[in-house]
Structures are given as structure tokens and as C-alpha cells.
Amino acid sequence: MSVISALKSVVGNHYVITSKGKSLKYREGYRSGRGEALAVVRPGSLLELWKVLQVVQANNLIVIMQAANTGLTEGSVPSQVAYDRDVIVINVMRLKGLQLIDNKQQVIAFPGTTLHELETKLTQVGRDPHSVIGSSNIGATVIGGINNNSGGALIQRGPAYTELALYAQITADGKLQLINHLGIELGKTPEEILTNLEKHNYSEQNITFSDERVGHNRDYEKRVRAVDSGKPTRYNADPQELYEVSGSAEKLVAFAVRLDTYPKPRQERVFYIGTNDPAVLEKLRRHILTNFKSLPISGEYMHREAYDLAKKYGKDSLMVIDYLGTTPLPFLFNFRAATERMLHHIPTFKPDFVDRMLQRSSSLFPNQLPKRMEAFRNKYEHYLQLKVADAGIAEAQAYLRDLAQSDEMGYFECTPKEAKLAAIHRYVAASVPIRYQETHQKEGNEILPLDVALPRKEVNWFETLPKEIDDKIKYKLYYGHFLDHVMHQDYILQPGVDRHELKKALLKRFDDRGALYPAEHNVGHLYHAPEVLVNHYQKNDPTNTFNPGIGLTSVKKNWQ
């Protein structure tokens, strides 16, 4: 039986895609990257996924594990490298499932379960998820976040992390095995374990609770409060975050993860802070992290240039999210991508027609940003959205009141509408470089997005570039998670500038400052994985079957 026939016998003809046109959306990255694959396979149950892996193991195939394909560094699609085996993409978005356990204090999530679905479900029972990431609005999955140590915007909890997982591994001698570290007794054979889990055929008596394996990030609050440390708070290759599935970058096949949930705050407030002096924000950051009894929920930074570009090139996205919410976003993104693929074959339409039309249409609508935010834009260069809850509200109010009297800064307490629009405006900034590039195709501007973790002790956090580098950049978008010094720095380059050479120069500057990168988006096929990450990959995947080449490592079998 051929490989394709074997795969079809497992998942059905409809869910094995071999057409290049139909498989393109699975072979092409969200921002960049594209490769070839023998087939795209979409299993519909955990047992089907296991059987697909048996076909993989029997036929010496390469697997690219893929969920929502929202990654920004090409890690969830095939690469344009010389693979030594046939490649299949296994897309897991049909594998939905959420199971609340331990009186809703923990959750079991399946491969296709999105962070948005998790947040929606937990809201109904008065709980919050382990982490929040920007791409949750476009369908990023829970397990995808765990695989990449994503998130971390929630200062009290840190990046997505768990030591409780059910996963498959191919051993050094080529054997496929299912490892149950969920802490739930589900049976002996893979078939029993997967069927019982999917049907929730277990009771509380089958669940083990122990501090030996946890479903949350260990000691993150202590870490983030250590503001005099010469190391960053968090970054993708942090050894503290590498544990089996956590940080594995799909080098293991996760069937389910078990995570902690958290009580929802009784009250929340957002303070919008403006200043012209970066040192003021650093003073605020250090005071909050060392003196506040209750850590804030988050602290999101934005620079004026990012503010202005997001106002112009993110207006349509802001309006959609404001008026319709985030629920329809995954559908809208998929619909846009499908329309682009269809129009691509019609010579009349230039690339990115849909986005270019959306950009033109957005100019017909009035400014959507609140008047108080606009007033701060005219007065200040740097903005911070400080989100606090419960006991932290009074602490923030008292401190900001005193700080505003002695430093060059201002603040206001947001209304719920202002807080919502400020958060959306910060979120849509991430898509600005792509939209700019799409709407200025004749200029030929390349974009260079970087995410970097600065040392916790860094006081001169705001980047000042030498003229020879600055002259090569048309726009700089600075925004990020300020309290833990994780910054997104996206550059729109002048026409004709070599993006790769400029990237080397910028990364050299980060190296000199003791910064580490990538901080959130993981190495993908754009960054060299450091030794600690390579060791984690090789331990998890000794035959180099899953996602080979990740972190610019070997694509050969057995890591040759």
C-alpha cells in the first residue's frame, strides 16, 4: 500500500490533501516561509493521529506538526531546504477538546483547542487561562503556546508552561511510543489511553495531584521582581522553560496538556500613562516590581511612531475587533487568505488585493481612537497601559498620583471603552509592517521584525541607533511587554536595504547589551537555536523525524 493510500485509510480521502493549490495554505507561513510536502493530513480524533504517526514511522517520513499556523518565524511550515525524506504536514485543527477537572482549577486541552476557545470557556465559569498571547485572536492553540513557551504578557504567571502532558515520541531505535505524563490513569495501551481521554472516560479518583509535576510556571513572580538581574526575565531558550513538550517546538507530538486555571479578578483598572522621558517609565517599572504587594496584570508599552502607524494601517482591524469582537477573526483571516489564493490566478489583480482594498476603505471612516489617547499622543512620545486588579488598584492609584507630581509624565484612568480601544490599538500594531508592505509594493520596502528580551537590570531600555543604521530604516515600531522588558521592535526598511545584513548589525547590538532573542516567537527557520535548545530537541526527537531543521539545525535523519 502506498503512503497516500495508507493515510487515506486512516483519516478518509477528504482529509488527505495532495493538490498543491489546496495544500498551499498549510505549506505557507503566516508572515513568511513556504515549502513542499507530499501531503497534508488532517486527523479527526486522537486515535487517528496515533495511527497517522504509525504510518509515518513505518514509511520513514518527515512530519511538520501544525496547528493554526499563526507562527511568525516559519516554524510550522515546511522549509525550502533539501530534506532527505518525504515530508507530510499534520494539521491538528480538527482535534478540539477541553475538559475541566479539579473543580475547574485545571484544564485538559487537545491539539486543536485554541486559546480563544479556552478563554471563552473559562470566562463562563469565572476562571482565567494560564497565559494570553496576541495571536490568540487569530486562532493560536493552547498546545502551540506550550510548544513555543509563548505568552508571558501576564506578569504574575509568565510564559505558557506545563510538566503534565500526553505525547508521542520516536525513540533512538526508531520505535513509536506514547508517553502518559498527564497524571491521569487512562489505561495501558495507546488505544485505551487515547479513547478514554477523548471520551472523558475517567474520574477524579484516576487523577494524581503532586508538586513533582506542575501545570504552571514555577516561581515566575520571584523572577520578574528581580530587577537587578543581568539576565532577561523570559526568552524562548530559557532552560527553566524546557521540559518535555514545553519548549519542544513540535519535536514531540502532544496529544493533550494539563494546565492550571486562575480565579478571575473581582475588579480591573487600566491606567494610560504618557511621558517624553524613557527613564520615567523605567523608574515606574522598578518601583512597581519591587514595592507593589500585588503585581499588575500587564504593562503594555507603545512608542509614538508605532501609535501613528497603527492608527493608519490598523484602523480596519481595530474596527472589526471593536464592533464584532475576536470570535470571528479566525474565520475572517481564513476567508481573506482563501480569497487571495483565488485572485492570485487572475492577472488583473495584484498581490494582496483584499488588504489593499481594506486599507483604502478604512480611510472613509473617522478616527476611532479616544480623545484622551489622542491628546497624549500630541503631548507625549512614550505610552504605557498598566492593567491592575483588586488590591493592586489602590496601590497604582496612590503611586501614579505621587509620580505625576514630580516627573514629566501624565496619566488617566481609562473608562472600559478607552481600555478596550487602547488594548486593541496595541494589538493591531503587530500587523502594521505587513500592511505597509502590501500597500506600498512599488517601493520595495523589506520588513524586519525582531522580538528581544532585555536584561532585567537594563535602565537604558529605549533603543538609540547610530546614524549608519538609522539611515537604512524608514519606520521603527517599538512596542512590547514593558514590565518584564520583552520588546517587539519591527523595522520597515528603506528601499534597497539588505534585510539580512541589517539584521546582523542589529543583533550584534543586542548581543553587546546582554539581550537574548527571540523572546516569544521562537527560532523557527529564521534564528540559530542555542546549544541548550538543540540539546532539548535532540533529546525529544533523536531520529530527527519531527520538524527537522528547526533553529537552522540539521534536516538529516538521526541529526547527521
Side-chain angles (χ1 to χ4, degrees), residues 295-477:
L295 283 180
I297 295 174
S298 62
E300 295 298 294
Y301 167 78
M302 200 174 199
H303 181 255
R304 179 185 281 163
E305 193 160 40
Y307 181 104
D308 290 344
L309 289 169
K311 177 181 174 181
K312 180 176 182 179
Y313 294 100
K315 183 194 286 187
D316 55 305
S317 297
L318 183 144
M319 289 191 295
V320 168
I321 298 172
D322 184 28
Y323 297 137
L324 301 180
T326 57
T327 300
L329 284 189
F331 168 79
L332 293 175
F333 274 94
N334 289 331
F335 179 78
R336 182 188 66 179
T339 304
E340 285 289 353
R341 286 191 294 272
M342 179 181 68
L343 296 178
H344 178 72
H345 300 287
I346 304 175
T348 308
F349 295 95
K350 294 180 180 180
D352 307 308
F353 172 78
V354 174
D355 274 357
R356 288 186 289 109
M357 287 302 298
L358 288 171
Q359 183 60 37
R360 288 186 180 182
S361 300
S362 69
S363 64
L364 302 176
F365 293 87
N367 179 22
Q368 302 293 304
L369 298 178
K371 292 181 179 179
R372 288 202 289 182
M373 281 178 60
E374 288 287 80
F376 267 46
R377 182 264 167 227
N378 295 331
K379 187 175 182 180
Y380 301 115
E381 184 180 356
H382 306 275
Y383 323 107
L384 180 69
Q385 299 171 40
L386 184 68
K387 188 174 184 179
V388 296
D390 298 336
I393 296 174
E395 279 187 300
Q397 287 171 331
Y399 176 64
L400 290 174
R401 190 163 49 243
D402 292 341
L403 187 66
Q405 294 175 0
S406 57
D407 288 291
E408 187 189 348
M409 58 86 71
Y411 76 96
F412 60 86
E413 188 171 329
C414 294
T415 66
K417 181 67 172 179
E418 287 172 331
K420 178 184 178 183
L421 289 174
I424 299 172
H425 187 232
R426 157 66 184 83
Y427 164 70
V428 301
S431 63
V432 165
I434 297 175
R435 175 61 66 84
Y436 184 92
Q437 191 177 47
E438 291 169 343
T439 54
H440 294 75
Q441 294 177 14
K442 292 182 179 180
E443 294 181 10
N445 307 85
E446 289 208 70
I447 58 177
L448 177 56
L450 300 176
D451 59 304
V452 59
L454 302 176
R456 280 166 275 180
K457 69 177 183 180
E458 177 67 81
V459 293
N460 298 315
W461 59 272
F462 186 70
E463 182 175 72
T464 303
L465 295 173
K467 189 176 188 302
E468 63 269 20
I469 292 180
D470 199 54
D471 287 347
K472 297 177 181 179
I473 301 170
K474 187 168 186 176
Y475 295 114
K476 300 184 288 288
L477 286 86

Side-chain angles (χ1 to χ4, degrees), residues 165 217 292 469 535:
N217 202 298
F292 274 28
I469 292 180
N535 291 340

Side-chain angles (χ1 to χ4, degrees), residues 125-262:
V125 296
R127 306 287 291 183
D128 273 342
H130 60 289
S131 64
V132 173
I133 61 176
S135 55
S136 63
N137 288 334
I138 55 175
T141 60
V142 176
I143 287 181
I146 295 293
N147 271 315
N148 293 291
N149 289 335
S150 300
L154 301 180
I155 296 302
Q156 300 163 0
R157 304 205 267 275
Y161 178 81
T162 187
E163 298 169 1
L164 300 161
L166 174 67
Y167 61 88
Q169 180 184 45
I170 293 181
T171 62
D173 56 359
K175 294 180 180 178
L176 176 67
Q177 60 182 7
L178 186 69
I179 299 174
N180 182 7
H181 286 166
L182 270 181
I184 305 175
E185 177 56 48
L186 295 163
K188 300 300 182 184
T189 68
E191 291 75 15
E192 288 176 335
I193 293 170
L194 296 172
T195 300
N196 286 333
L197 176 62
E198 198 152 28
K199 293 184 177 181
H200 205 154
N201 186 25
Y202 60 89
S203 66
E204 291 287 325
Q205 286 69 39
N206 299 122
I207 304 174
T208 299
F209 298 94
S210 170
D211 290 336
E212 292 183 10
R213 288 179 179 267
V214 296
H216 61 271
N217 202 298
R218 294 178 184 266
D219 301 322
Y220 191 74
E221 179 171 337
K222 180 180 178 181
R223 196 189 316 172
V224 79
R225 286 185 182 274
V227 296
D228 292 318
S229 171
K231 296 180 179 180
T233 309
R234 59 181 174 93
Y235 57 100
N236 288 129
D238 188 342
Q240 298 173 94
E241 315 298 336
L242 304 179
Y243 190 97
E244 296 179 354
V245 169
S246 294
S248 69
E250 293 83 31
K251 300 295 281 183
L252 296 170
V253 179
F255 286 77
V257 294
R258 176 176 161 189
L259 301 159
D260 292 332
T261 69
Y262 298 84

Side-chain angles (χ1 to χ4, degrees), residues 501-517:
E501 288 302 314
L502 184 60
K503 181 179 179 180
K504 290 180 183 177
L506 289 168
L507 294 184
K508 174 63 167 58
R509 290 177 57 81
F510 289 141
D511 292 339
D512 293 343
R513 298 170 68 188
L516 295 172
Y517 49 83

